[in-house]
Amino acid sequence: TVSDRPDLQHAVARASTTSTSATIGSLPPARRLWWRVEAISWGGKRANAGGPGELATSPLAALPGIVFLSDMQWAKAAAGAGNPVRRDVNYYGKTISIAGKAYPKGLWTHAFNDATPADVVIDLPEKKYAAFRADAGVDDRSGGGSLQFQVLVDGVVKAQSPVLRPREVQRIRVDVTGAKQLTLRVLDGGDGFSSDHAAWGLARLV
């Protein structure tokens, strides 16, 4: 078990094996984590001696020509159901996941219970970026939900998804050449905002 808490009450990854070693992939980057090994046999369970171990994962390597929105300063951001917009993790502090695919970078937000848009607004330096790209969908750990995603460039809608439900993903590509402002918008899917956990996977400027 690997957790982001020393009491191990919140697991970010688990693995089991019948050998003396195990490999866990897809740990969240740039995080302080704790781990425990637990052996199970006919005699019961026993954890490793000395309490939980500790480790730190490396940050993701920078990609030339790409800036992730979760690493940028936003002009403003609003999310529904009393939530903040979260950087690189979902509501539960785990890696964002859409339709079974994990996204180590991205934004998590939540729809409002009315027509209020859940917006993340980013001011863009002139002539620096050519495109915005992301995979949008309902986070896999939402337990349900339905959402619509929009991308606005200088206040004009340039991309819009259909209403998306769990296990559906919309690949978004928008030209932002010469733009001054980018807005990522999430709207309620029309059936209430329960479980409307919205994810912008790998939201980035190129």
Side-chain angles (χ1 to χ4, degrees):
T1 300
V2 180
S3 173
D4 58 3
R5 292 171 45 175
D7 61 7
L8 302 173
Q9 293 301 305
H10 182 223
V12 297
R14 286 191 175 95
S16 60
T17 181
T18 56
S19 69
T20 57
S21 64
T23 299
I24 297 179
S26 192
L27 291 176
R31 298 281 290 279
R32 184 183 180 192
L33 302 172
W34 289 263
W35 58 269
R36 176 178 64 191
V37 175
E38 190 174 60
I40 303 174
S41 70
W42 292 110
K45 298 180 180 179
R46 172 177 265 183
N48 59 282
E54 189 174 341
L55 64 97
T57 55
S58 301
L60 292 176
L63 299 175
I66 292 177
V67 177
F68 291 102
L69 269 59
S70 58
D71 296 329
M72 297 181 70
Q73 183 176 354
W74 309 325
K76 60 181 179 178
N83 288 284
V85 177
R86 292 175 164 86
R87 301 173 186 264
D88 301 330
V89 296
N90 64 12
Y91 177 81
Y92 303 100
K94 296 188 176 182
T95 302
I96 291 167
S97 179
I98 305 170
K101 179 179 178 179
Y103 294 84
K105 301 290 292 180
L107 303 179
W108 179 98
T109 185
H110 197 289
F112 284 88
N113 62 346
D114 53 25
T116 302
D119 284 356
V120 178
V121 181
I122 302 99
D123 291 331
L124 304 177
E126 274 192 64
K127 301 180 180 178
K128 185 171 183 180
Y129 301 111
F132 166 76
R133 298 180 180 179
D135 290 351
V138 180
D139 185 82
D140 286 340
R141 293 183 176 86
S142 68
S146 60
L147 297 158
Q148 186 175 41
F149 295 80
Q150 294 180 340
V151 177
L152 292 76
V153 177
D154 293 334
V156 178
V157 176
K158 294 295 186 179
Q160 178 172 286
S161 76
V163 174
L164 299 176
R165 292 176 172 80
R167 311 296 294 183
E168 297 178 339
V169 61
Q170 179 79 20
R171 185 164 292 176
I172 294 175
R173 304 289 185 268
V174 174
D175 185 354
V176 298
T177 304
K180 295 180 179 179
Q181 193 174 76
L182 174 71
T183 301
L184 308 189
R185 175 166 293 173
V186 171
L187 299 168
D188 171 34
D191 55 358
F193 75 143
S194 177
S195 300
D196 279 356
H197 295 212
W200 297 92
L202 296 181
R204 62 203 185 274
L205 287 160
V206 181

